[in-house]
Amino acid sequence: MARNSNTVPESKGKLQSFKSEVASSLNIDLKQGYNGDLTSREAGSIGGEMVKRMIAYAEKNLH
């Protein structure tokens, strides 16, 4: 299985929307499609914040 494949294919749109929301809150300009012009720091900030929010959501809602 490819590393970047989604377990639930229908989740792709939701994850993209979530990524855009996080990038916006961090004041990072995320375009539709290719974003190779982002710095490693910007891309890492988006991913790290996504993980932080998912963990917070799970802790709040799954206990």
Side-chain angles (χ1 to χ4, degrees):
M1 177 181 280
R3 184 168 189 254
N4 290 330
S5 68
N6 292 323
T7 303
V8 181
E10 298 81 20
S11 68
K12 187 173 185 174
K14 296 282 186 185
L15 284 172
Q16 186 60 42
S17 176
F18 181 44
K19 186 189 306 182
S20 296
E21 175 187 324
V22 169
S24 178
S25 73
L26 296 172
N27 295 318
I28 298 173
D29 184 30
L30 194 63
K31 300 179 291 286
Q32 289 284 10
Y34 181 72
N35 282 286
D37 56 338
L38 291 178
T39 65
S40 295
R41 171 170 264 163
E42 290 171 326
S45 294
I46 294 168
E49 184 66 22
M50 288 175 70
V51 170
K52 187 188 311 182
R53 291 183 188 190
M54 286 187 271
I55 291 170
Y57 176 84
E59 287 176 340
K60 179 181 177 186
N61 295 293
L62 299 178
H63 283 197

